[in-house]
Structures are given as C-alpha cells and as structure tokens.
Amino acid sequence: MDASQTTKNLHNCLVKTEKLFGLGSTGFLWFYSLFFSLIFSFYIFSSSTPHKFTPIQDNADNPANAYFQHLQTDNESCDLFDGGWVEDKEGPLYSNLSCPTIPLSKNCFYHGRKDRDFVYWRWKPEGCELPRFNPKAFLSIVRGKTMAFIGDSLARNHMESLLCLLSMEETPRNVYEDAEDKFRSWHFPHHNFTLMVLRSEFLVQATHRLINGSFTGGFHLHLDQLDSNWTQKLPIIDYAIFSDAHWFLRPNYLYEGGNLIGCVYCGDPTVKDVGPGFAIRRAFRAALKYVNENRNGVVVFLRTFSPAQFEHGAWNKGGFCNRTRGLAKEEVNVGGDDWEFRNIQVEEIERAKRYGGKRGNRFGIIDVTRAMLMRPDGHPGEFWGNKWMKGYSDCIHWCLPGPIDTWSELLLQMLHNTSRALKQS
C-alpha cells in the first residue's frame, strides 16, 4: 500500500470518529493526537534516502519476479545483443490507435503505410530468451524514481516507445513541455515515477556556425564544456540513458580550452579534419566524466549508435528506405562508420565504469547497433507526414510500433540485471 492510500484510509477513519466523539470532546482531541502520530511515524519509516538506487525486493508479490522467473539461469552471462530477428505471431503490444502519445511523425500507419509485416518480428539473443515487455515489472523497479533520456531525437524516439509500453499499465500525466517541445516530462502517479527527455544533440556546448548571419548547418562544439540543458537536471536523475551521434556527422568545428583543435567535414585546408569519431569520443568521455564527478549512486546506460539506412542516395539527394522485410544476420556488414561509432561508445562506457564504481555509480551498454542494422524496414520512410520537407524520407527514426520497442525490452533486462548485481554486492 502506498503513502497516499494509507493517508486516505486514515482520513476516512478520522471522519467516522468525529461523528462518534464530537469536535469539542476530550476523546476527539486524544484521537487527533493519535492520528498525527501515526502519520508522522508512517512518513519516517516509509521515506527513503534521496537518489539512492533501491534494488527490487525478492517477494512473491513483486511483479518483476513473476516476469523474470522463467528466464534461463545463465541469462546474465548471455550476450543479449548478439542474435537475430525471429517471427512473432503475437505482434506488437500496442497499436497506433491504442497509444495516445504517439507523435504523428512516427505514426507510420496513420500516414498511409500499408505493409504490416515489419511489426511481427522480435529480437532473439543467442543462447537465452528476451521476454516480451512487461510494464508491471518495469514500473515496479523504477517506483519512486526519475529516468531521463538524454540526447538527440532518437533518444526522444526511444522515450516515446517506452511511454506507449508503460501506458498499458498506467496512464501518465504530461507534467512539463517547453515551448519548442524539446524537453518533456511525464509522471506516473500510482508509481511516483517520472520519465523525461532532455534534448542535447551533442551533450557538450554547441553554438550555430553562421556566415553573414545565415546558419550553415554546422556548429562550434566546445568539447570540454557540457550542455547545461542536461547537467542542471542530473541531481534529480536516478537513471540516465545517453544516446547521441548523428549530429556529429556535420561540418562542425571543435574547441578545447577555447582553442580550435580541428573540424569534421569542414573542407577547410587550414584546419585539420579529425573525423566524427574523434568528436563523438571526446563528447561522451566528457559527459560520463561529469556524471562520475558530480553524482553518487546513479545508474547510467548508453544506447549505442542506431544507423541511418538511406538507399540510393543521401537524405537530401533522393535517398529512401522502402524495404518491407528485414535482413538476416549474415546479410549485414558489421563494420564501417556505424560500427566504429558503436565501438567508441562501448569503450567510453567501459572507461567510465572503471572509475564510477568507487562512487557507487553503475554503467552499462544497451548495444542495439547490430540488431538495428538488420531492420531497414522499420523506418517511417515517406510515411512521416512532414509538411516542411515534402519529398524527403525519414530513414533515421523508427515507426511506432516497430523494431524500436525492442530497445525497451533490453532496457528492462538491464534494469533487472543491475538491480540483482546491487543486491549481491
């Protein structure tokens, strides 16, 4: 029973007792003293230390236990991220009609997509099972906590998928939305859980690069200064899910200590082009270092690079993605830039993990790169209803419902594994 329900029950008891004793009687005053003593005692014993990660408890009533009890005993040693997609006759857990929070740009069926085979596949790791998402289990683990998705529009895409999945159990309240709709917060009152997205395309400070007052499409990135849009929220965050990379693939100029140290795709013969991987590494290293230096007891997951899958040209040169079926494991070329960016992110989370453990922080990888390389069929493509860029396809984001829902299944498994590890430490 939660605090609000207990308070409500005590209030009902008080109302009944008032009728028995009368407002001016000695018995009423005695009861009032007892009432407030009970409230105070309940508050003292039920409150928890702020920002401390609380593992799920082993008891028969915990919905997380029922969810995970059928998993193989070696599931934690199994590589959840190495596997393939298998047919799923049951299909998605929600539809574009049942989830009220799907943004129009990800509602592919609303915009006329006819084929539906792409939602009838599920991710199957080698050597173990990844169960279907269970909102009861997820909400039981994060009860009383705050989770933030920090990064670009794909971080937002993931949060929107999770929001649909959790809405099957409890209807969330939209408690904050900025004027540009870059920062959103949702609250699940019954579980006192807050889910937020903090838009930060680079994690570090960035300013538009202008020429003659016009935006060039590139940025000045200060790799040793963090973006305050997410750092100012860090003190209240219990779970942080970082993801970024696509915005680094622009003509950006890089700075450290206020000095220009290189560029990416700038085409400037006077500045060394260090490549996007350099900038991605420095940005993630700075962000994760900041977490370790400024927080204790936070759980951090990094979701690896999700590839763009334009075919027959870039996004602005006629590229499109109209496949209706995914690829087999042997059809995917694991390598190139996609895999380089993924490897950099894995290396940086491992670096952060070595130092973070001393401060009680936990770090993990949600490694989706291989799985998503197999799913060129899951993007909105032409079915995203954009009024300002007609004729352009979206081959970066993911339809809802769609393959991206697997990210939340992996996240739930990671939360479970982290909770168990904390209990055993």
Short mmCIF file of all heavy atoms in Angstrom, two decimals, residues 327-380:
data_model
loop_
_atom_site.label_atom_id
_atom_site.label_comp_id
_atom_site.label_asym_id
_atom_site.label_seq_id
_atom_site.Cartn_x
_atom_site.Cartn_y
_atom_site.Cartn_z
N LEU A 327 16.74 -7.86 -42.65
CA LEU A 327 17.87 -8.64 -43.17
C LEU A 327 18.24 -9.75 -42.19
O LEU A 327 18.07 -9.61 -40.98
CB LEU A 327 19.08 -7.73 -43.38
CG LEU A 327 18.88 -6.52 -44.31
CD1 LEU A 327 20.15 -5.67 -44.33
CD2 LEU A 327 18.51 -6.96 -45.72
N ALA A 328 18.75 -10.84 -42.74
CA ALA A 328 19.28 -11.91 -41.90
C ALA A 328 20.66 -11.49 -41.37
O ALA A 328 21.29 -10.59 -41.92
CB ALA A 328 19.40 -13.20 -42.71
N LYS A 329 21.10 -12.16 -40.33
CA LYS A 329 22.36 -11.81 -39.70
C LYS A 329 23.52 -11.84 -40.68
O LYS A 329 24.39 -10.95 -40.67
CB LYS A 329 22.62 -12.77 -38.53
CG LYS A 329 23.81 -12.41 -37.67
CD LYS A 329 23.89 -13.36 -36.47
CE LYS A 329 25.05 -12.98 -35.56
NZ LYS A 329 25.14 -13.88 -34.38
N GLU A 330 23.54 -12.85 -41.56
CA GLU A 330 24.65 -12.99 -42.50
C GLU A 330 24.60 -11.95 -43.62
O GLU A 330 25.59 -11.79 -44.36
CB GLU A 330 24.66 -14.40 -43.10
CG GLU A 330 23.38 -14.83 -43.78
CD GLU A 330 22.38 -15.47 -42.84
OE1 GLU A 330 22.55 -15.35 -41.60
OE2 GLU A 330 21.42 -16.09 -43.35
N GLU A 331 23.49 -11.26 -43.76
CA GLU A 331 23.38 -10.24 -44.80
C GLU A 331 23.92 -8.89 -44.35
O GLU A 331 24.06 -7.97 -45.16
CB GLU A 331 21.91 -10.07 -45.21
CG GLU A 331 21.29 -11.28 -45.88
CD GLU A 331 19.84 -11.04 -46.23
OE1 GLU A 331 18.97 -11.21 -45.35
OE2 GLU A 331 19.57 -10.66 -47.39
N VAL A 332 24.21 -8.76 -43.08
CA VAL A 332 24.63 -7.47 -42.52
C VAL A 332 26.14 -7.38 -42.49
O VAL A 332 26.83 -8.29 -42.04
CB VAL A 332 24.06 -7.29 -41.10
CG1 VAL A 332 24.65 -6.05 -40.44
CG2 VAL A 332 22.55 -7.20 -41.15
N ASN A 333 26.65 -6.27 -42.95
CA ASN A 333 28.08 -6.00 -42.91
C ASN A 333 28.40 -5.23 -41.63
O ASN A 333 28.11 -4.04 -41.51
CB ASN A 333 28.51 -5.18 -44.13
CG ASN A 333 29.99 -4.84 -44.11
OD1 ASN A 333 30.78 -5.55 -43.48
ND2 ASN A 333 30.36 -3.77 -44.80
N VAL A 334 28.96 -5.96 -40.66
CA VAL A 334 29.32 -5.33 -39.40
C VAL A 334 30.69 -4.69 -39.58
O VAL A 334 31.72 -5.36 -39.59
CB VAL A 334 29.34 -6.35 -38.25
CG1 VAL A 334 29.81 -5.68 -36.96
CG2 VAL A 334 27.95 -6.96 -38.06
N GLY A 335 30.70 -3.39 -39.72
CA GLY A 335 31.93 -2.65 -39.94
C GLY A 335 31.60 -1.25 -40.42
O GLY A 335 30.46 -0.81 -40.37
N GLY A 336 32.61 -0.55 -40.89
CA GLY A 336 32.39 0.79 -41.39
C GLY A 336 32.15 1.79 -40.27
O GLY A 336 32.41 1.53 -39.09
N ASP A 337 31.62 2.96 -40.64
CA ASP A 337 31.43 4.04 -39.68
C ASP A 337 30.45 3.67 -38.57
O ASP A 337 30.67 4.00 -37.40
CB ASP A 337 30.94 5.29 -40.40
CG ASP A 337 32.00 5.90 -41.29
OD1 ASP A 337 33.19 5.58 -41.12
OD2 ASP A 337 31.64 6.71 -42.18
N ASP A 338 29.35 3.00 -38.91
CA ASP A 338 28.36 2.62 -37.90
C ASP A 338 29.01 1.84 -36.77
O ASP A 338 28.78 2.11 -35.58
CB ASP A 338 27.24 1.78 -38.52
CG ASP A 338 26.43 2.55 -39.55
OD1 ASP A 338 26.41 3.79 -39.47
OD2 ASP A 338 25.82 1.91 -40.43
N TRP A 339 29.82 0.89 -37.14
CA TRP A 339 30.45 0.03 -36.13
C TRP A 339 31.56 0.77 -35.39
O TRP A 339 31.79 0.52 -34.21
CB TRP A 339 30.99 -1.24 -36.78
CG TRP A 339 31.10 -2.38 -35.83
CD1 TRP A 339 32.23 -2.96 -35.37
CD2 TRP A 339 30.02 -3.08 -35.19
NE1 TRP A 339 31.95 -3.98 -34.50
CE2 TRP A 339 30.59 -4.07 -34.37
CE3 TRP A 339 28.63 -2.96 -35.25
CZ2 TRP A 339 29.81 -4.94 -33.61
CZ3 TRP A 339 27.86 -3.83 -34.49
CH2 TRP A 339 28.45 -4.80 -33.68
N GLU A 340 32.25 1.68 -36.08
CA GLU A 340 33.28 2.49 -35.41
C GLU A 340 32.66 3.33 -34.31
O GLU A 340 33.18 3.39 -33.19
CB GLU A 340 33.98 3.41 -36.42
CG GLU A 340 35.01 4.33 -35.76
CD GLU A 340 35.45 5.48 -36.64
OE1 GLU A 340 35.05 5.51 -37.82
OE2 GLU A 340 36.17 6.36 -36.13
N PHE A 341 31.54 3.99 -34.61
CA PHE A 341 30.90 4.84 -33.61
C PHE A 341 30.40 3.98 -32.45
O PHE A 341 30.51 4.39 -31.27
CB PHE A 341 29.73 5.61 -34.23
CG PHE A 341 30.11 6.46 -35.41
CD1 PHE A 341 29.19 6.73 -36.42
CD2 PHE A 341 31.40 6.98 -35.54
CE1 PHE A 341 29.53 7.50 -37.51
CE2 PHE A 341 31.76 7.76 -36.63
CZ PHE A 341 30.82 8.02 -37.62
N ARG A 342 29.87 2.82 -32.76
CA ARG A 342 29.42 1.90 -31.70
C ARG A 342 30.59 1.49 -30.82
O ARG A 342 30.49 1.48 -29.58
CB ARG A 342 28.75 0.69 -32.35
CG ARG A 342 28.34 -0.40 -31.39
CD ARG A 342 29.39 -1.52 -31.37
NE ARG A 342 29.03 -2.60 -30.46
CZ ARG A 342 29.89 -3.47 -29.97
NH1 ARG A 342 31.18 -3.40 -30.30
NH2 ARG A 342 29.49 -4.41 -29.13
N ASN A 343 31.72 1.14 -31.40
CA ASN A 343 32.89 0.72 -30.62
C ASN A 343 33.40 1.83 -29.72
O ASN A 343 33.81 1.59 -28.57
CB ASN A 343 34.00 0.24 -31.56
CG ASN A 343 33.70 -1.09 -32.20
OD1 ASN A 343 32.82 -1.84 -31.73
ND2 ASN A 343 34.39 -1.41 -33.28
N ILE A 344 33.39 3.05 -30.23
CA ILE A 344 33.82 4.19 -29.42
C ILE A 344 32.93 4.33 -28.19
O ILE A 344 33.41 4.53 -27.06
CB ILE A 344 33.79 5.48 -30.27
CG1 ILE A 344 34.94 5.46 -31.28
CG2 ILE A 344 33.88 6.73 -29.38
CD1 ILE A 344 34.85 6.57 -32.30
N GLN A 345 31.63 4.21 -28.37
CA GLN A 345 30.71 4.34 -27.25
C GLN A 345 30.92 3.23 -26.22
O GLN A 345 30.88 3.48 -25.01
CB GLN A 345 29.28 4.34 -27.78
CG GLN A 345 28.94 5.58 -28.58
CD GLN A 345 27.60 5.49 -29.28
OE1 GLN A 345 27.17 4.41 -29.70
NE2 GLN A 345 26.92 6.62 -29.41
N VAL A 346 31.14 2.01 -26.69
CA VAL A 346 31.40 0.89 -25.78
C VAL A 346 32.66 1.15 -24.97
O VAL A 346 32.71 0.93 -23.75
CB VAL A 346 31.49 -0.44 -26.55
CG1 VAL A 346 31.97 -1.56 -25.63
CG2 VAL A 346 30.15 -0.80 -27.18
N GLU A 347 33.71 1.61 -25.64
CA GLU A 347 34.99 1.88 -24.96
C GLU A 347 34.83 2.97 -23.91
O GLU A 347 35.40 2.87 -22.81
CB GLU A 347 36.05 2.27 -25.98
CG GLU A 347 36.48 1.12 -26.88
CD GLU A 347 37.25 1.59 -28.12
OE1 GLU A 347 37.58 2.81 -28.19
OE2 GLU A 347 37.53 0.76 -29.00
N GLU A 348 34.06 4.00 -24.21
CA GLU A 348 33.91 5.10 -23.26
C GLU A 348 33.05 4.70 -22.06
O GLU A 348 33.29 5.17 -20.94
CB GLU A 348 33.35 6.33 -23.96
CG GLU A 348 34.33 6.97 -24.93
CD GLU A 348 35.68 7.26 -24.29
OE1 GLU A 348 35.71 7.82 -23.16
OE2 GLU A 348 36.70 6.93 -24.92
N ILE A 349 32.06 3.85 -22.25
CA ILE A 349 31.27 3.42 -21.10
C ILE A 349 32.10 2.50 -20.21
O ILE A 349 31.98 2.51 -18.98
CB ILE A 349 29.95 2.74 -21.54
CG1 ILE A 349 28.87 2.87 -20.43
CG2 ILE A 349 30.15 1.27 -21.85
CD1 ILE A 349 28.26 4.22 -20.33
N GLU A 350 32.99 1.71 -20.81
CA GLU A 350 33.88 0.86 -20.02
C GLU A 350 34.86 1.70 -19.22
O GLU A 350 35.18 1.38 -18.07
CB GLU A 350 34.62 -0.12 -20.93
CG GLU A 350 33.74 -1.20 -21.54
CD GLU A 350 33.11 -2.09 -20.49
OE1 GLU A 350 33.76 -2.36 -19.45
OE2 GLU A 350 31.96 -2.52 -20.69
N ARG A 351 35.34 2.78 -19.81
CA ARG A 351 36.23 3.68 -19.10
C ARG A 351 35.51 4.29 -17.90
O ARG A 351 36.05 4.36 -16.79
CB ARG A 351 36.71 4.78 -20.04
CG ARG A 351 37.48 5.92 -19.36
CD ARG A 351 37.69 7.07 -20.32
NE ARG A 351 38.68 6.75 -21.32
CZ ARG A 351 39.99 6.99 -21.21
NH1 ARG A 351 40.44 7.58 -20.10
NH2 ARG A 351 40.82 6.68 -22.16
N ALA A 352 34.29 4.77 -18.12
CA ALA A 352 33.52 5.38 -17.04
C ALA A 352 33.21 4.37 -15.94
O ALA A 352 33.20 4.72 -14.75
CB ALA A 352 32.22 5.97 -17.59
N LYS A 353 32.98 3.13 -16.32
CA LYS A 353 32.65 2.08 -15.35
C LYS A 353 33.81 1.84 -14.39
O LYS A 353 33.61 1.61 -13.19
CB LYS A 353 32.30 0.79 -16.09
CG LYS A 353 31.82 -0.33 -15.19
CD LYS A 353 31.64 -1.63 -15.97
CE LYS A 353 30.60 -1.50 -17.06
NZ LYS A 353 30.36 -2.79 -17.76
N ARG A 354 35.04 1.90 -14.90
CA ARG A 354 36.21 1.64 -14.04
C ARG A 354 36.32 2.65 -12.91
O ARG A 354 36.74 2.32 -11.81
CB ARG A 354 37.48 1.65 -14.89
CG ARG A 354 37.61 0.47 -15.82
CD ARG A 354 39.02 0.33 -16.35
NE ARG A 354 39.42 1.45 -17.19
CZ ARG A 354 39.23 1.51 -18.51
NH1 ARG A 354 38.62 0.49 -19.12
NH2 ARG A 354 39.62 2.54 -19.21
N TYR A 355 35.95 3.89 -13.18
CA TYR A 355 36.06 4.94 -12.17
C TYR A 355 34.77 5.13 -11.39
O TYR A 355 34.80 5.53 -10.22
CB TYR A 355 36.47 6.26 -12.84
CG TYR A 355 37.83 6.19 -13.51
CD1 TYR A 355 37.93 6.01 -14.88
CD2 TYR A 355 39.00 6.29 -12.77
CE1 TYR A 355 39.18 5.94 -15.50
CE2 TYR A 355 40.24 6.21 -13.38
CZ TYR A 355 40.33 6.04 -14.74
OH TYR A 355 41.56 5.96 -15.36
N GLY A 356 33.65 4.86 -12.02
CA GLY A 356 32.37 5.14 -11.38
C GLY A 356 32.02 4.23 -10.24
O GLY A 356 31.27 4.63 -9.33
N GLY A 357 32.54 3.00 -10.26
CA GLY A 357 32.22 2.06 -9.20
C GLY A 357 32.63 2.55 -7.83
O GLY A 357 31.99 2.23 -6.82
N LYS A 358 33.68 3.34 -7.76
CA LYS A 358 34.16 3.87 -6.48
C LYS A 358 33.17 4.85 -5.88
O LYS A 358 33.19 5.09 -4.67
CB LYS A 358 35.51 4.55 -6.69
CG LYS A 358 36.59 3.63 -7.26
CD LYS A 358 37.86 4.41 -7.57
CE LYS A 358 38.91 3.52 -8.23
NZ LYS A 358 40.13 4.27 -8.59
N ARG A 359 32.32 5.43 -6.71
CA ARG A 359 31.33 6.40 -6.24
C ARG A 359 29.93 5.79 -6.16
O ARG A 359 28.94 6.50 -5.96
CB ARG A 359 31.32 7.62 -7.15
CG ARG A 359 32.65 8.36 -7.20
CD ARG A 359 32.57 9.56 -8.13
NE ARG A 359 31.60 10.54 -7.65
CZ ARG A 359 31.89 11.53 -6.81
NH1 ARG A 359 33.13 11.65 -6.36
NH2 ARG A 359 30.97 12.38 -6.43
N GLY A 360 29.84 4.49 -6.35
CA GLY A 360 28.55 3.82 -6.28
C GLY A 360 27.72 3.98 -7.53
O GLY A 360 26.52 3.69 -7.53
N ASN A 361 28.33 4.45 -8.64
CA ASN A 361 27.61 4.59 -9.90
C ASN A 361 27.68 3.30 -10.69
O ASN A 361 28.66 2.55 -10.60
CB ASN A 361 28.20 5.74 -10.72
CG ASN A 361 28.02 7.08 -10.05
OD1 ASN A 361 27.07 7.28 -9.30
ND2 ASN A 361 28.91 8.02 -10.31
N ARG A 362 26.68 3.04 -11.47
CA ARG A 362 26.60 1.84 -12.32
C ARG A 362 26.48 2.26 -13.78
O ARG A 362 25.69 3.13 -14.11
CB ARG A 362 25.40 0.99 -11.92
CG ARG A 362 25.49 0.41 -10.51
CD ARG A 362 26.37 -0.81 -10.48
NE ARG A 362 26.63 -1.27 -9.13
CZ ARG A 362 27.04 -2.50 -8.83
NH1 ARG A 362 27.23 -3.38 -9.80
NH2 ARG A 362 27.25 -2.84 -7.59
N PHE A 363 27.27 1.60 -14.63
CA PHE A 363 27.26 1.92 -16.06
C PHE A 363 27.03 0.65 -16.87
O PHE A 363 27.55 -0.42 -16.53
CB PHE A 363 28.59 2.54 -16.48
CG PHE A 363 28.85 3.91 -15.90
CD1 PHE A 363 29.41 4.05 -14.63
CD2 PHE A 363 28.50 5.04 -16.60
CE1 PHE A 363 29.64 5.30 -14.09
CE2 PHE A 363 28.71 6.31 -16.07
CZ PHE A 363 29.29 6.44 -14.82
N GLY A 364 26.26 0.77 -17.93
CA GLY A 364 26.01 -0.37 -18.80
C GLY A 364 25.70 0.08 -20.21
O GLY A 364 25.42 1.26 -20.48
N ILE A 365 25.79 -0.87 -21.14
CA ILE A 365 25.56 -0.61 -22.57
C ILE A 365 24.25 -1.27 -23.00
O ILE A 365 23.99 -2.43 -22.65
CB ILE A 365 26.72 -1.17 -23.41
CG1 ILE A 365 27.89 -0.19 -23.40
CG2 ILE A 365 26.30 -1.46 -24.83
CD1 ILE A 365 27.71 1.00 -24.32
N ILE A 366 23.44 -0.53 -23.73
CA ILE A 366 22.31 -1.12 -24.46
C ILE A 366 22.74 -1.14 -25.92
O ILE A 366 22.60 -0.14 -26.64
CB ILE A 366 21.02 -0.30 -24.26
CG1 ILE A 366 20.72 -0.13 -22.77
CG2 ILE A 366 19.84 -0.98 -24.96
CD1 ILE A 366 19.54 0.77 -22.48
N ASP A 367 23.29 -2.25 -26.33
CA ASP A 367 24.01 -2.34 -27.60
C ASP A 367 23.05 -2.76 -28.71
O ASP A 367 22.85 -3.95 -28.98
CB ASP A 367 25.15 -3.35 -27.46
CG ASP A 367 26.10 -3.34 -28.65
OD1 ASP A 367 25.81 -2.61 -29.63
OD2 ASP A 367 27.12 -4.04 -28.59
N VAL A 368 22.46 -1.78 -29.38
CA VAL A 368 21.43 -2.06 -30.39
C VAL A 368 21.94 -2.01 -31.82
O VAL A 368 21.19 -2.28 -32.76
CB VAL A 368 20.26 -1.07 -30.25
CG1 VAL A 368 19.69 -1.08 -28.84
CG2 VAL A 368 20.69 0.35 -30.65
N THR A 369 23.21 -1.67 -32.03
CA THR A 369 23.71 -1.41 -33.39
C THR A 369 23.53 -2.61 -34.31
O THR A 369 23.02 -2.48 -35.43
CB THR A 369 25.18 -0.98 -33.34
OG1 THR A 369 25.33 0.12 -32.42
CG2 THR A 369 25.65 -0.55 -34.72
N ARG A 370 23.96 -3.78 -33.87
CA ARG A 370 23.87 -4.97 -34.72
C ARG A 370 22.41 -5.29 -35.05
O ARG A 370 22.06 -5.56 -36.20
CB ARG A 370 24.50 -6.18 -34.02
CG ARG A 370 24.54 -7.44 -34.88
CD ARG A 370 24.93 -8.65 -34.04
NE ARG A 370 26.23 -8.48 -33.41
CZ ARG A 370 27.37 -8.84 -33.96
NH1 ARG A 370 27.39 -9.37 -35.17
NH2 ARG A 370 28.51 -8.66 -33.31
N ALA A 371 21.55 -5.23 -34.04
CA ALA A 371 20.14 -5.56 -34.25
C ALA A 371 19.48 -4.60 -35.24
O ALA A 371 18.70 -5.02 -36.11
CB ALA A 371 19.39 -5.54 -32.92
N MET A 372 19.81 -3.32 -35.14
CA MET A 372 19.13 -2.34 -35.99
C MET A 372 19.71 -2.30 -37.41
O MET A 372 19.02 -1.88 -38.34
CB MET A 372 19.18 -0.95 -35.34
CG MET A 372 18.63 -0.91 -33.92
SD MET A 372 17.14 -1.91 -33.60
CE MET A 372 15.87 -0.89 -34.35
N LEU A 373 20.93 -2.75 -37.58
CA LEU A 373 21.47 -2.89 -38.93
C LEU A 373 20.64 -3.88 -39.75
O LEU A 373 20.61 -3.80 -40.97
CB LEU A 373 22.93 -3.33 -38.88
CG LEU A 373 23.96 -2.26 -38.56
CD1 LEU A 373 25.32 -2.89 -38.27
CD2 LEU A 373 24.09 -1.27 -39.72
N MET A 374 19.96 -4.80 -39.05
CA MET A 374 19.15 -5.80 -39.72
C MET A 374 17.73 -5.33 -40.03
O MET A 374 16.96 -6.06 -40.65
CB MET A 374 19.04 -7.07 -38.84
CG MET A 374 20.35 -7.70 -38.46
SD MET A 374 20.06 -9.19 -37.45
CE MET A 374 21.66 -9.39 -36.67
N ARG A 375 17.37 -4.08 -39.62
CA ARG A 375 15.97 -3.67 -39.72
C ARG A 375 15.77 -2.41 -40.58
O ARG A 375 15.16 -1.43 -40.12
CB ARG A 375 15.38 -3.46 -38.33
CG ARG A 375 15.32 -4.71 -37.47
CD ARG A 375 14.59 -5.87 -38.16
NE ARG A 375 13.28 -5.52 -38.64
CZ ARG A 375 12.16 -5.59 -37.91
NH1 ARG A 375 12.21 -6.02 -36.66
NH2 ARG A 375 10.99 -5.28 -38.43
N PRO A 376 16.24 -2.40 -41.83
CA PRO A 376 15.98 -1.24 -42.69
C PRO A 376 14.50 -1.07 -43.03
O PRO A 376 14.11 -0.06 -43.62
CB PRO A 376 16.79 -1.56 -43.95
CG PRO A 376 16.87 -3.06 -43.97
CD PRO A 376 16.99 -3.47 -42.53
N ASP A 377 13.67 -2.05 -42.64
CA ASP A 377 12.24 -1.99 -42.93
C ASP A 377 11.45 -1.23 -41.88
O ASP A 377 10.24 -1.04 -42.02
CB ASP A 377 11.67 -3.40 -43.03
CG ASP A 377 11.90 -4.22 -41.76
OD1 ASP A 377 12.93 -4.00 -41.08
OD2 ASP A 377 11.07 -5.08 -41.44
N GLY A 378 12.09 -0.79 -40.79
CA GLY A 378 11.36 -0.23 -39.66
C GLY A 378 11.28 1.28 -39.59
O GLY A 378 10.75 1.82 -38.62
N HIS A 379 11.79 1.98 -40.60
CA HIS A 379 11.79 3.44 -40.58
C HIS A 379 10.50 4.02 -41.17
O HIS A 379 9.84 3.38 -41.99
CB HIS A 379 12.98 3.97 -41.38
CG HIS A 379 14.31 3.50 -40.88
ND1 HIS A 379 14.86 3.96 -39.70
CD2 HIS A 379 15.20 2.61 -41.40
CE1 HIS A 379 16.03 3.37 -39.53
NE2 HIS A 379 16.26 2.55 -40.54
N PRO A 380 10.17 5.26 -40.82
CA PRO A 380 8.99 5.90 -41.43
C PRO A 380 9.11 6.05 -42.94
O PRO A 380 8.09 6.00 -43.64
CB PRO A 380 8.94 7.27 -40.74
CG PRO A 380 9.61 7.04 -39.42
CD PRO A 380 10.70 6.06 -39.71
#
